[in-house]
mmCIF file of all heavy atoms in Angstrom:
data_model
loop_
_atom_site.group_PDB
_atom_site.id
_atom_site.type_symbol
_atom_site.label_atom_id
_atom_site.label_comp_id
_atom_site.label_asym_id
_atom_site.label_seq_id
_atom_site.Cartn_x
_atom_site.Cartn_y
_atom_site.Cartn_z
ATOM 1 N N MET A 20 -20.700 4.854 13.292
ATOM 2 C CA MET A 20 -20.047 3.612 13.655
ATOM 3 C C MET A 20 -19.438 3.019 12.397
ATOM 4 O O MET A 20 -20.030 3.056 11.331
ATOM 5 C CB MET A 20 -21.069 2.637 14.257
ATOM 6 C CG MET A 20 -20.442 1.345 14.659
ATOM 7 S SD MET A 20 -21.542 0.073 15.394
ATOM 8 C CE MET A 20 -23.033 0.882 15.786
ATOM 9 N N ILE A 21 -18.208 2.488 12.562
ATOM 10 C CA ILE A 21 -17.503 1.894 11.434
ATOM 11 C C ILE A 21 -17.163 0.452 11.778
ATOM 12 O O ILE A 21 -16.527 0.185 12.800
ATOM 13 C CB ILE A 21 -16.205 2.670 11.119
ATOM 14 C CG1 ILE A 21 -16.514 4.136 10.844
ATOM 15 C CG2 ILE A 21 -15.459 2.032 9.947
ATOM 16 C CD1 ILE A 21 -15.292 5.035 10.816
ATOM 17 N N VAL A 22 -17.575 -0.466 10.925
ATOM 18 C CA VAL A 22 -17.249 -1.884 11.095
ATOM 19 C C VAL A 22 -16.364 -2.303 9.937
ATOM 20 O O VAL A 22 -16.722 -2.114 8.777
ATOM 21 C CB VAL A 22 -18.520 -2.759 11.136
ATOM 22 C CG1 VAL A 22 -18.150 -4.214 11.319
ATOM 23 C CG2 VAL A 22 -19.464 -2.296 12.238
ATOM 24 N N THR A 23 -15.168 -2.806 10.265
ATOM 25 C CA THR A 23 -14.210 -3.237 9.254
ATOM 26 C C THR A 23 -13.711 -4.628 9.619
ATOM 27 O O THR A 23 -13.487 -4.910 10.795
ATOM 28 C CB THR A 23 -13.009 -2.259 9.211
ATOM 29 O OG1 THR A 23 -13.507 -0.936 9.065
ATOM 30 C CG2 THR A 23 -12.082 -2.571 8.055
ATOM 31 N N ASN A 24 -13.529 -5.478 8.626
ATOM 32 C CA ASN A 24 -13.026 -6.827 8.884
ATOM 33 C C ASN A 24 -11.698 -6.791 9.628
ATOM 34 O O ASN A 24 -10.817 -5.996 9.303
ATOM 35 C CB ASN A 24 -12.833 -7.594 7.575
ATOM 36 C CG ASN A 24 -14.142 -7.961 6.936
ATOM 37 O OD1 ASN A 24 -15.181 -7.999 7.587
ATOM 38 N ND2 ASN A 24 -14.104 -8.235 5.645
ATOM 39 N N ASN A 25 -11.574 -7.648 10.623
ATOM 40 C CA ASN A 25 -10.324 -7.852 11.371
ATOM 41 C C ASN A 25 -9.833 -6.608 12.107
ATOM 42 O O ASN A 25 -8.634 -6.483 12.369
ATOM 43 C CB ASN A 25 -9.213 -8.371 10.449
ATOM 44 C CG ASN A 25 -9.671 -9.522 9.593
ATOM 45 O OD1 ASN A 25 -10.466 -10.339 10.025
ATOM 46 N ND2 ASN A 25 -9.193 -9.576 8.371
ATOM 47 N N ARG A 26 -10.719 -5.727 12.423
ATOM 48 C CA ARG A 26 -10.362 -4.482 13.097
ATOM 49 C C ARG A 26 -11.378 -4.214 14.219
ATOM 50 O O ARG A 26 -12.451 -4.796 14.249
ATOM 51 C CB ARG A 26 -10.402 -3.295 12.113
ATOM 52 C CG ARG A 26 -9.389 -3.373 10.996
ATOM 53 C CD ARG A 26 -8.004 -3.075 11.542
ATOM 54 N NE ARG A 26 -7.014 -3.026 10.487
ATOM 55 C CZ ARG A 26 -6.249 -4.050 10.134
ATOM 56 N NH1 ARG A 26 -6.386 -5.203 10.732
ATOM 57 N NH2 ARG A 26 -5.356 -3.927 9.188
ATOM 58 N N PRO A 27 -11.054 -3.281 15.117
ATOM 59 C CA PRO A 27 -12.012 -2.957 16.177
ATOM 60 C C PRO A 27 -13.248 -2.250 15.615
ATOM 61 O O PRO A 27 -13.219 -1.705 14.520
ATOM 62 C CB PRO A 27 -11.213 -2.008 17.079
ATOM 63 C CG PRO A 27 -10.196 -1.408 16.185
ATOM 64 C CD PRO A 27 -9.830 -2.478 15.200
ATOM 65 N N LEU A 28 -14.286 -2.253 16.402
ATOM 66 C CA LEU A 28 -15.474 -1.461 16.098
ATOM 67 C C LEU A 28 -15.121 -0.020 16.417
ATOM 68 O O LEU A 28 -14.642 0.268 17.522
ATOM 69 C CB LEU A 28 -16.639 -1.922 16.970
ATOM 70 C CG LEU A 28 -17.928 -1.139 16.878
ATOM 71 C CD1 LEU A 28 -18.586 -1.357 15.524
ATOM 72 C CD2 LEU A 28 -18.869 -1.558 17.995
ATOM 73 N N LYS A 29 -15.304 0.888 15.471
ATOM 74 C CA LYS A 29 -14.936 2.283 15.694
ATOM 75 C C LYS A 29 -16.189 3.151 15.732
ATOM 76 O O LYS A 29 -17.055 3.038 14.869
ATOM 77 C CB LYS A 29 -14.001 2.768 14.593
ATOM 78 C CG LYS A 29 -12.646 2.087 14.642
ATOM 79 C CD LYS A 29 -11.724 2.613 13.579
ATOM 80 C CE LYS A 29 -10.374 1.920 13.666
ATOM 81 N NZ LYS A 29 -9.477 2.345 12.572
ATOM 82 N N ILE A 30 -16.221 4.033 16.733
ATOM 83 C CA ILE A 30 -17.335 4.961 16.873
ATOM 84 C C ILE A 30 -16.759 6.366 16.963
ATOM 85 O O ILE A 30 -15.842 6.616 17.750
ATOM 86 C CB ILE A 30 -18.195 4.633 18.111
ATOM 87 C CG1 ILE A 30 -18.776 3.220 17.975
ATOM 88 C CG2 ILE A 30 -19.309 5.657 18.280
ATOM 89 C CD1 ILE A 30 -19.614 2.771 19.154
ATOM 90 N N LYS A 31 -17.302 7.257 16.148
ATOM 91 C CA LYS A 31 -16.846 8.643 16.128
ATOM 92 C C LYS A 31 -17.765 9.519 16.952
ATOM 93 O O LYS A 31 -18.976 9.330 16.963
ATOM 94 C CB LYS A 31 -16.812 9.170 14.686
ATOM 95 C CG LYS A 31 -15.758 8.526 13.832
ATOM 96 C CD LYS A 31 -15.748 9.142 12.444
ATOM 97 C CE LYS A 31 -14.653 8.520 11.586
ATOM 98 N NZ LYS A 31 -14.618 9.118 10.242
ATOM 99 N N GLY A 32 -17.164 10.514 17.627
ATOM 100 C CA GLY A 32 -17.958 11.473 18.377
ATOM 101 C C GLY A 32 -17.569 11.481 19.834
ATOM 102 O O GLY A 32 -16.626 10.827 20.259
ATOM 103 N N LYS A 33 -18.300 12.276 20.607
ATOM 104 C CA LYS A 33 -18.049 12.361 22.049
ATOM 105 C C LYS A 33 -18.878 11.281 22.731
ATOM 106 O O LYS A 33 -20.103 11.230 22.567
ATOM 107 C CB LYS A 33 -18.417 13.743 22.582
ATOM 108 C CG LYS A 33 -18.030 13.941 24.021
ATOM 109 C CD LYS A 33 -18.226 15.382 24.458
ATOM 110 C CE LYS A 33 -17.752 15.570 25.889
ATOM 111 N NZ LYS A 33 -17.881 16.965 26.322
ATOM 112 N N LEU A 34 -18.196 10.416 23.477
ATOM 113 C CA LEU A 34 -18.858 9.277 24.112
ATOM 114 C C LEU A 34 -18.645 9.311 25.613
ATOM 115 O O LEU A 34 -17.587 9.736 26.089
ATOM 116 C CB LEU A 34 -18.268 7.959 23.582
ATOM 117 C CG LEU A 34 -18.238 7.737 22.081
ATOM 118 C CD1 LEU A 34 -17.489 6.446 21.777
ATOM 119 C CD2 LEU A 34 -19.637 7.685 21.518
ATOM 120 N N GLN A 35 -19.629 8.841 26.326
ATOM 121 C CA GLN A 35 -19.469 8.541 27.752
ATOM 122 C C GLN A 35 -19.737 7.053 27.887
ATOM 123 O O GLN A 35 -20.811 6.573 27.513
ATOM 124 C CB GLN A 35 -20.452 9.334 28.610
ATOM 125 C CG GLN A 35 -20.040 10.769 28.832
ATOM 126 C CD GLN A 35 -20.847 11.434 29.925
ATOM 127 O OE1 GLN A 35 -22.004 11.130 30.127
ATOM 128 N NE2 GLN A 35 -20.215 12.349 30.630
ATOM 129 N N ILE A 36 -18.739 6.336 28.406
ATOM 130 C CA ILE A 36 -18.830 4.888 28.517
ATOM 131 C C ILE A 36 -18.757 4.512 29.980
ATOM 132 O O ILE A 36 -17.816 4.896 30.686
ATOM 133 C CB ILE A 36 -17.670 4.206 27.755
ATOM 134 C CG1 ILE A 36 -17.704 4.631 26.290
ATOM 135 C CG2 ILE A 36 -17.733 2.695 27.876
ATOM 136 C CD1 ILE A 36 -16.429 5.243 25.830
ATOM 137 N N GLN A 37 -19.758 3.776 30.445
ATOM 138 C CA GLN A 37 -19.711 3.273 31.824
ATOM 139 C C GLN A 37 -19.084 1.887 31.796
ATOM 140 O O GLN A 37 -19.609 0.959 31.178
ATOM 141 C CB GLN A 37 -21.099 3.208 32.456
ATOM 142 C CG GLN A 37 -21.033 2.741 33.902
ATOM 143 C CD GLN A 37 -22.357 2.862 34.631
ATOM 144 O OE1 GLN A 37 -23.273 3.523 34.162
ATOM 145 N NE2 GLN A 37 -22.464 2.221 35.762
ATOM 146 N N LEU A 38 -17.940 1.753 32.474
ATOM 147 C CA LEU A 38 -17.212 0.493 32.513
ATOM 148 C C LEU A 38 -17.862 -0.467 33.504
ATOM 149 O O LEU A 38 -18.725 -0.077 34.285
ATOM 150 C CB LEU A 38 -15.760 0.759 32.915
ATOM 151 C CG LEU A 38 -14.997 1.773 32.064
ATOM 152 C CD1 LEU A 38 -13.574 1.945 32.581
ATOM 153 C CD2 LEU A 38 -15.011 1.375 30.589
ATOM 154 N N ALA A 39 -17.424 -1.716 33.460
ATOM 155 C CA ALA A 39 -17.959 -2.724 34.373
ATOM 156 C C ALA A 39 -17.740 -2.332 35.837
ATOM 157 O O ALA A 39 -18.509 -2.701 36.715
ATOM 158 C CB ALA A 39 -17.319 -4.079 34.083
ATOM 159 N N SER A 40 -16.692 -1.538 36.073
ATOM 160 C CA SER A 40 -16.392 -1.075 37.438
ATOM 161 C C SER A 40 -17.299 0.063 37.880
ATOM 162 O O SER A 40 -17.190 0.537 39.001
ATOM 163 C CB SER A 40 -14.944 -0.586 37.492
ATOM 164 O OG SER A 40 -14.786 0.552 36.659
ATOM 165 N N ALA A 41 -18.165 0.542 36.965
ATOM 166 C CA ALA A 41 -19.077 1.670 37.167
ATOM 167 C C ALA A 41 -18.394 3.008 36.894
ATOM 168 O O ALA A 41 -19.052 4.040 36.887
ATOM 169 C CB ALA A 41 -19.747 1.672 38.537
ATOM 170 N N GLU A 42 -17.070 2.988 36.671
ATOM 171 C CA GLU A 42 -16.369 4.222 36.289
ATOM 172 C C GLU A 42 -16.901 4.702 34.937
ATOM 173 O O GLU A 42 -17.169 3.902 34.044
ATOM 174 C CB GLU A 42 -14.867 3.941 36.169
ATOM 175 C CG GLU A 42 -14.066 5.134 35.692
ATOM 176 C CD GLU A 42 -12.595 4.788 35.427
ATOM 177 O OE1 GLU A 42 -12.215 3.629 35.603
ATOM 178 O OE2 GLU A 42 -11.864 5.692 35.027
ATOM 179 N N ILE A 43 -17.049 6.029 34.801
ATOM 180 C CA ILE A 43 -17.496 6.600 33.535
ATOM 181 C C ILE A 43 -16.301 7.255 32.858
ATOM 182 O O ILE A 43 -15.620 8.087 33.455
ATOM 183 C CB ILE A 43 -18.642 7.596 33.748
ATOM 184 C CG1 ILE A 43 -19.865 6.840 34.289
ATOM 185 C CG2 ILE A 43 -18.990 8.298 32.436
ATOM 186 C CD1 ILE A 43 -21.046 7.707 34.615
ATOM 187 N N VAL A 44 -16.057 6.858 31.618
ATOM 188 C CA VAL A 44 -14.931 7.356 30.840
ATOM 189 C C VAL A 44 -15.490 8.168 29.681
ATOM 190 O O VAL A 44 -16.454 7.756 29.033
ATOM 191 C CB VAL A 44 -14.083 6.180 30.301
ATOM 192 C CG1 VAL A 44 -12.966 6.673 29.404
ATOM 193 C CG2 VAL A 44 -13.529 5.367 31.449
ATOM 194 N N THR A 45 -14.888 9.337 29.434
ATOM 195 C CA THR A 45 -15.291 10.166 28.306
ATOM 196 C C THR A 45 -14.260 10.044 27.195
ATOM 197 O O THR A 45 -13.054 10.104 27.448
ATOM 198 C CB THR A 45 -15.416 11.635 28.735
ATOM 199 O OG1 THR A 45 -16.387 11.723 29.781
ATOM 200 C CG2 THR A 45 -15.861 12.509 27.571
ATOM 201 N N LYS A 46 -14.715 9.847 25.977
ATOM 202 C CA LYS A 46 -13.831 9.748 24.811
ATOM 203 C C LYS A 46 -14.335 10.696 23.732
ATOM 204 O O LYS A 46 -15.539 10.888 23.583
ATOM 205 C CB LYS A 46 -13.832 8.315 24.250
ATOM 206 C CG LYS A 46 -13.290 7.266 25.193
ATOM 207 C CD LYS A 46 -11.793 7.275 25.180
ATOM 208 C CE LYS A 46 -11.236 6.049 25.898
ATOM 209 N NZ LYS A 46 -9.783 5.992 25.849
ATOM 210 N N GLU A 47 -13.386 11.281 22.996
ATOM 211 C CA GLU A 47 -13.746 12.130 21.860
ATOM 212 C C GLU A 47 -12.975 11.672 20.641
ATOM 213 O O GLU A 47 -11.957 11.009 20.748
ATOM 214 C CB GLU A 47 -13.413 13.586 22.160
ATOM 215 C CG GLU A 47 -14.320 14.196 23.210
ATOM 216 C CD GLU A 47 -14.138 15.702 23.331
ATOM 217 O OE1 GLU A 47 -14.261 16.387 22.298
ATOM 218 O OE2 GLU A 47 -13.876 16.168 24.438
ATOM 219 N N GLY A 48 -13.448 12.053 19.469
ATOM 220 C CA GLY A 48 -12.792 11.641 18.236
ATOM 221 C C GLY A 48 -13.257 10.257 17.848
ATOM 222 O O GLY A 48 -14.442 9.948 17.933
ATOM 223 N N THR A 49 -12.320 9.401 17.477
ATOM 224 C CA THR A 49 -12.651 8.030 17.095
ATOM 225 C C THR A 49 -12.183 7.085 18.192
ATOM 226 O O THR A 49 -11.023 7.111 18.575
ATOM 227 C CB THR A 49 -11.976 7.656 15.764
ATOM 228 O OG1 THR A 49 -12.420 8.568 14.760
ATOM 229 C CG2 THR A 49 -12.333 6.242 15.354
ATOM 230 N N THR A 50 -13.101 6.283 18.685
ATOM 231 C CA THR A 50 -12.789 5.314 19.740
ATOM 232 C C THR A 50 -12.946 3.913 19.184
ATOM 233 O O THR A 50 -13.955 3.595 18.556
ATOM 234 C CB THR A 50 -13.740 5.505 20.943
ATOM 235 O OG1 THR A 50 -13.639 6.852 21.408
ATOM 236 C CG2 THR A 50 -13.388 4.550 22.079
ATOM 237 N N GLY A 51 -11.931 3.090 19.415
ATOM 238 C CA GLY A 51 -11.975 1.696 18.957
ATOM 239 C C GLY A 51 -12.359 0.766 20.098
ATOM 240 O O GLY A 51 -11.793 0.852 21.189
ATOM 241 N N PHE A 52 -13.322 -0.096 19.837
ATOM 242 C CA PHE A 52 -13.774 -1.082 20.816
ATOM 243 C C PHE A 52 -13.339 -2.474 20.362
ATOM 244 O O PHE A 52 -13.548 -2.845 19.204
ATOM 245 C CB PHE A 52 -15.299 -1.033 20.974
ATOM 246 C CG PHE A 52 -15.782 0.230 21.630
ATOM 247 C CD1 PHE A 52 -16.054 1.360 20.866
ATOM 248 C CD2 PHE A 52 -15.936 0.300 22.997
ATOM 249 C CE1 PHE A 52 -16.489 2.532 21.465
ATOM 250 C CE2 PHE A 52 -16.369 1.470 23.608
ATOM 251 C CZ PHE A 52 -16.643 2.588 22.840
ATOM 252 N N CYS A 53 -12.767 -3.206 21.291
ATOM 253 C CA CYS A 53 -12.210 -4.528 20.978
ATOM 254 C C CYS A 53 -13.300 -5.500 20.537
ATOM 255 O O CYS A 53 -14.317 -5.662 21.199
ATOM 256 C CB CYS A 53 -11.485 -5.076 22.203
ATOM 257 S SG CYS A 53 -10.786 -6.712 21.940
ATOM 258 N N ARG A 54 -13.037 -6.163 19.420
ATOM 259 C CA ARG A 54 -13.913 -7.240 18.952
ATOM 260 C C ARG A 54 -13.199 -8.588 19.006
ATOM 261 O O ARG A 54 -13.832 -9.620 18.866
ATOM 262 C CB ARG A 54 -14.373 -6.987 17.509
ATOM 263 C CG ARG A 54 -15.276 -5.799 17.357
ATOM 264 C CD ARG A 54 -16.028 -5.816 16.033
ATOM 265 N NE ARG A 54 -15.175 -5.959 14.875
ATOM 266 C CZ ARG A 54 -15.333 -6.900 13.933
ATOM 267 N NH1 ARG A 54 -16.309 -7.772 14.020
ATOM 268 N NH2 ARG A 54 -14.524 -6.954 12.906
ATOM 269 N N CYS A 55 -11.884 -8.579 19.167
ATOM 270 C CA CYS A 55 -11.131 -9.834 19.105
ATOM 271 C C CYS A 55 -11.072 -10.545 20.458
ATOM 272 O O CYS A 55 -10.778 -11.730 20.523
ATOM 273 C CB CYS A 55 -9.716 -9.580 18.588
ATOM 274 S SG CYS A 55 -8.596 -8.821 19.790
ATOM 275 N N GLY A 56 -11.275 -9.816 21.547
ATOM 276 C CA GLY A 56 -11.262 -10.415 22.874
ATOM 277 C C GLY A 56 -9.905 -10.437 23.544
ATOM 278 O O GLY A 56 -9.785 -10.924 24.666
ATOM 279 N N VAL A 57 -8.871 -9.915 22.906
ATOM 280 C CA VAL A 57 -7.512 -10.015 23.442
ATOM 281 C C VAL A 57 -7.047 -8.738 24.151
ATOM 282 O O VAL A 57 -6.118 -8.776 24.952
ATOM 283 C CB VAL A 57 -6.533 -10.394 22.298
ATOM 284 C CG1 VAL A 57 -5.104 -10.437 22.793
ATOM 285 C CG2 VAL A 57 -6.934 -11.741 21.718
ATOM 286 N N SER A 58 -7.690 -7.631 23.908
ATOM 287 C CA SER A 58 -7.261 -6.360 24.494
ATOM 288 C C SER A 58 -7.106 -6.456 26.013
ATOM 289 O O SER A 58 -7.926 -7.074 26.693
ATOM 290 C CB SER A 58 -8.272 -5.260 24.168
ATOM 291 O OG SER A 58 -7.934 -4.069 24.862
ATOM 292 N N GLU A 59 -6.061 -5.853 26.522
ATOM 293 C CA GLU A 59 -5.879 -5.782 27.970
ATOM 294 C C GLU A 59 -6.483 -4.507 28.525
ATOM 295 O O GLU A 59 -6.277 -4.178 29.700
ATOM 296 C CB GLU A 59 -4.388 -5.883 28.306
ATOM 297 C CG GLU A 59 -3.820 -7.253 27.959
ATOM 298 C CD GLU A 59 -2.381 -7.430 28.379
ATOM 299 O OE1 GLU A 59 -1.883 -6.651 29.209
ATOM 300 O OE2 GLU A 59 -1.753 -8.374 27.869
ATOM 301 N N ASN A 60 -7.182 -3.764 27.690
ATOM 302 C CA ASN A 60 -7.828 -2.517 28.106
ATOM 303 C C ASN A 60 -9.285 -2.508 27.655
ATOM 304 O O ASN A 60 -9.789 -1.520 27.140
ATOM 305 C CB ASN A 60 -7.077 -1.319 27.517
ATOM 306 C CG ASN A 60 -7.555 -0.013 28.095
ATOM 307 O OD1 ASN A 60 -7.985 0.049 29.239
ATOM 308 N ND2 ASN A 60 -7.503 1.041 27.288
ATOM 309 N N LYS A 61 -9.965 -3.649 27.814
ATOM 310 C CA LYS A 61 -11.364 -3.747 27.386
ATOM 311 C C LYS A 61 -12.226 -2.739 28.139
ATOM 312 O O LYS A 61 -11.957 -2.487 29.303
ATOM 313 C CB LYS A 61 -11.907 -5.156 27.630
ATOM 314 C CG LYS A 61 -11.256 -6.206 26.754
ATOM 315 C CD LYS A 61 -11.889 -7.548 27.032
ATOM 316 C CE LYS A 61 -11.154 -8.673 26.382
ATOM 317 N NZ LYS A 61 -9.950 -9.083 27.109
ATOM 318 N N PRO A 62 -13.192 -2.153 27.513
ATOM 319 C CA PRO A 62 -13.738 -2.544 26.218
ATOM 320 C C PRO A 62 -13.001 -1.918 25.038
ATOM 321 O O PRO A 62 -13.435 -2.061 23.901
ATOM 322 C CB PRO A 62 -15.179 -2.031 26.298
ATOM 323 C CG PRO A 62 -15.058 -0.777 27.109
ATOM 324 C CD PRO A 62 -13.995 -1.090 28.144
ATOM 325 N N PHE A 63 -11.905 -1.238 25.293
ATOM 326 C CA PHE A 63 -11.225 -0.510 24.217
ATOM 327 C C PHE A 63 -10.200 -1.395 23.513
ATOM 328 O O PHE A 63 -9.615 -2.296 24.106
ATOM 329 C CB PHE A 63 -10.533 0.736 24.782
ATOM 330 C CG PHE A 63 -11.459 1.593 25.579
ATOM 331 C CD1 PHE A 63 -11.383 1.643 26.959
ATOM 332 C CD2 PHE A 63 -12.455 2.329 24.934
ATOM 333 C CE1 PHE A 63 -12.269 2.405 27.699
ATOM 334 C CE2 PHE A 63 -13.341 3.103 25.673
ATOM 335 C CZ PHE A 63 -13.251 3.138 27.060
ATOM 336 N N CYS A 64 -9.982 -1.118 22.272
ATOM 337 C CA CYS A 64 -8.944 -1.804 21.496
ATOM 338 C C CYS A 64 -7.585 -1.244 21.911
ATOM 339 O O CYS A 64 -7.422 -0.032 22.032
ATOM 340 C CB CYS A 64 -9.177 -1.540 20.004
ATOM 341 S SG CYS A 64 -7.831 -2.111 18.956
ATOM 342 N N ASP A 65 -6.618 -2.137 22.144
ATOM 343 C CA ASP A 65 -5.253 -1.692 22.446
ATOM 344 C C ASP A 65 -4.275 -2.156 21.362
ATOM 345 O O ASP A 65 -3.076 -2.228 21.612
ATOM 346 C CB ASP A 65 -4.815 -2.164 23.828
ATOM 347 C CG ASP A 65 -4.654 -3.673 23.915
ATOM 348 O OD1 ASP A 65 -4.922 -4.371 22.917
ATOM 349 O OD2 ASP A 65 -4.244 -4.163 24.981
ATOM 350 N N GLU A 66 -4.823 -2.492 20.218
ATOM 351 C CA GLU A 66 -4.049 -2.947 19.040
ATOM 352 C C GLU A 66 -3.507 -4.362 19.196
ATOM 353 O O GLU A 66 -2.744 -4.823 18.343
ATOM 354 C CB GLU A 66 -2.907 -1.974 18.700
ATOM 355 C CG GLU A 66 -3.372 -0.565 18.395
ATOM 356 C CD GLU A 66 -4.220 -0.469 17.130
ATOM 357 O OE1 GLU A 66 -3.998 -1.260 16.189
ATOM 358 O OE2 GLU A 66 -5.125 0.388 17.090
ATOM 359 N N SER A 67 -3.894 -5.080 20.253
ATOM 360 C CA SER A 67 -3.429 -6.461 20.424
ATOM 361 C C SER A 67 -3.902 -7.375 19.301
ATOM 362 O O SER A 67 -3.290 -8.419 19.066
ATOM 363 C CB SER A 67 -3.906 -7.024 21.768
ATOM 364 O OG SER A 67 -3.262 -6.369 22.837
ATOM 365 N N HIS A 68 -4.967 -6.998 18.611
ATOM 366 C CA HIS A 68 -5.464 -7.843 17.505
ATOM 367 C C HIS A 68 -4.398 -8.027 16.433
ATOM 368 O O HIS A 68 -4.431 -8.993 15.685
ATOM 369 C CB HIS A 68 -6.742 -7.252 16.895
ATOM 370 C CG HIS A 68 -6.562 -5.888 16.315
ATOM 371 N ND1 HIS A 68 -6.773 -4.725 17.034
ATOM 372 C CD2 HIS A 68 -6.139 -5.508 15.089
ATOM 373 C CE1 HIS A 68 -6.521 -3.687 16.260
ATOM 374 N NE2 HIS A 68 -6.132 -4.131 15.076
ATOM 375 N N ARG A 69 -3.430 -7.121 16.386
ATOM 376 C CA ARG A 69 -2.353 -7.221 15.385
ATOM 377 C C ARG A 69 -1.380 -8.354 15.709
ATOM 378 O O ARG A 69 -0.643 -8.794 14.837
ATOM 379 C CB ARG A 69 -1.586 -5.904 15.303
ATOM 380 C CG ARG A 69 -2.431 -4.743 14.813
ATOM 381 C CD ARG A 69 -1.643 -3.451 14.845
ATOM 382 N NE ARG A 69 -2.454 -2.315 14.494
ATOM 383 C CZ ARG A 69 -2.567 -1.831 13.262
ATOM 384 N NH1 ARG A 69 -1.905 -2.382 12.286
ATOM 385 N NH2 ARG A 69 -3.351 -0.788 13.032
ATOM 386 N N LYS A 70 -1.370 -8.801 16.977
ATOM 387 C CA LYS A 70 -0.425 -9.822 17.415
ATOM 388 C C LYS A 70 -0.955 -11.243 17.228
ATOM 389 O O LYS A 70 -0.226 -12.199 17.435
ATOM 390 C CB LYS A 70 -0.087 -9.617 18.889
ATOM 391 C CG LYS A 70 0.527 -8.265 19.199
ATOM 392 C CD LYS A 70 0.707 -8.097 20.701
ATOM 393 C CE LYS A 70 1.095 -6.677 21.039
ATOM 394 N NZ LYS A 70 1.010 -6.422 22.485
ATOM 395 N N ILE A 71 -2.232 -11.364 16.913
ATOM 396 C CA ILE A 71 -2.832 -12.697 16.790
ATOM 397 C C ILE A 71 -3.378 -12.861 15.378
ATOM 398 O O ILE A 71 -3.547 -11.899 14.647
ATOM 399 C CB ILE A 71 -3.963 -12.909 17.823
ATOM 400 C CG1 ILE A 71 -5.099 -11.904 17.592
ATOM 401 C CG2 ILE A 71 -3.416 -12.800 19.247
ATOM 402 C CD1 ILE A 71 -6.328 -12.177 18.434
ATOM 403 N N GLU A 72 -3.648 -14.096 15.010
ATOM 404 C CA GLU A 72 -4.244 -14.354 13.697
ATOM 405 C C GLU A 72 -5.757 -14.373 13.866
ATOM 406 O O GLU A 72 -6.395 -15.415 13.783
ATOM 407 C CB GLU A 72 -3.733 -15.685 13.144
ATOM 408 C CG GLU A 72 -2.264 -15.626 12.804
ATOM 409 C CD GLU A 72 -1.783 -16.901 12.134
ATOM 410 O OE1 GLU A 72 -2.593 -17.556 11.469
ATOM 411 O OE2 GLU A 72 -0.606 -17.222 12.320
ATOM 412 N N TRP A 73 -6.293 -13.210 14.122
ATOM 413 C CA TRP A 73 -7.726 -13.089 14.356
ATOM 414 C C TRP A 73 -8.436 -12.701 13.066
ATOM 415 O O TRP A 73 -8.013 -11.779 12.359
ATOM 416 C CB TRP A 73 -7.977 -12.022 15.430
ATOM 417 C CG TRP A 73 -9.424 -11.697 15.618
ATOM 418 C CD1 TRP A 73 -10.411 -12.546 16.038
ATOM 419 C CD2 TRP A 73 -10.061 -10.449 15.383
ATOM 420 N NE1 TRP A 73 -11.605 -11.906 16.094
ATOM 421 C CE2 TRP A 73 -11.402 -10.602 15.685
ATOM 422 C CE3 TRP A 73 -9.602 -9.210 14.953
ATOM 423 C CZ2 TRP A 73 -12.319 -9.555 15.565
ATOM 424 C CZ3 TRP A 73 -10.504 -8.174 14.837
ATOM 425 C CH2 TRP A 73 -11.846 -8.348 15.145
ATOM 426 N N ILE A 74 -9.487 -13.410 12.766
ATOM 427 C CA ILE A 74 -10.314 -13.083 11.620
ATOM 428 C C ILE A 74 -11.715 -12.814 12.143
ATOM 429 O O ILE A 74 -12.340 -13.699 12.729
ATOM 430 C CB ILE A 74 -10.325 -14.207 10.580
ATOM 431 C CG1 ILE A 74 -8.903 -14.441 10.055
ATOM 432 C CG2 ILE A 74 -11.284 -13.884 9.442
ATOM 433 C CD1 ILE A 74 -8.768 -15.644 9.157
ATOM 434 N N GLY A 75 -12.165 -11.625 11.992
ATOM 435 C CA GLY A 75 -13.490 -11.299 12.519
ATOM 436 C C GLY A 75 -14.126 -10.143 11.829
ATOM 437 O O GLY A 75 -13.597 -9.462 11.036
HETATM 438 S S1 LIG B 9 -9.881 -5.528 18.305
HETATM 439 FE FE1 LIG B 9 -8.037 -4.551 18.791
HETATM 440 S S2 LIG B 9 -7.356 -5.489 20.564
HETATM 441 FE FE2 LIG B 9 -9.196 -6.519 20.082
#
């Protein structure tokens, strides 16, 4: 897991994520999880943090 200021939480490896809808999504490589709250594809980062003055 990688935590960087003003960026999403990044986790490396093969992941299975159960979404709020109960759908299970598989991700490989590096997956970014939204920390800013603005992503339209939560829980994943969609780079929207670049459009706001978010400090986190
Ligand atoms: S951290 Fe990237 S969209 Fe929220």
Side-chain angles (χ1 to χ4, degrees):
M20 181 180 347
I21 303 168
V22 180
T23 308
N24 289 340
N25 312 325
R26 296 286 185 265
L28 175 69
K29 293 182 179 176
I30 299 179
K31 292 183 178 181
K33 187 172 183 178
L34 306 174
Q35 282 193 328
I36 302 124
Q37 182 171 346
L38 305 180
S40 65
E42 176 187 1
I43 295 177
V44 176
T45 301
K46 297 280 192 177
E47 290 190 55
T49 301
T50 303
F52 291 88
C53 179
R54 293 197 307 126
C55 75
V57 177
S58 173
E59 293 185 17
N60 190 30
K61 293 182 190 79
F63 307 106
C64 171
D65 67 358
E66 301 295 329
S67 292
H68 61 268
R69 296 176 185 267
K70 301 175 190 169
I71 62 172
E72 292 185 29
W73 173 63
I74 299 173

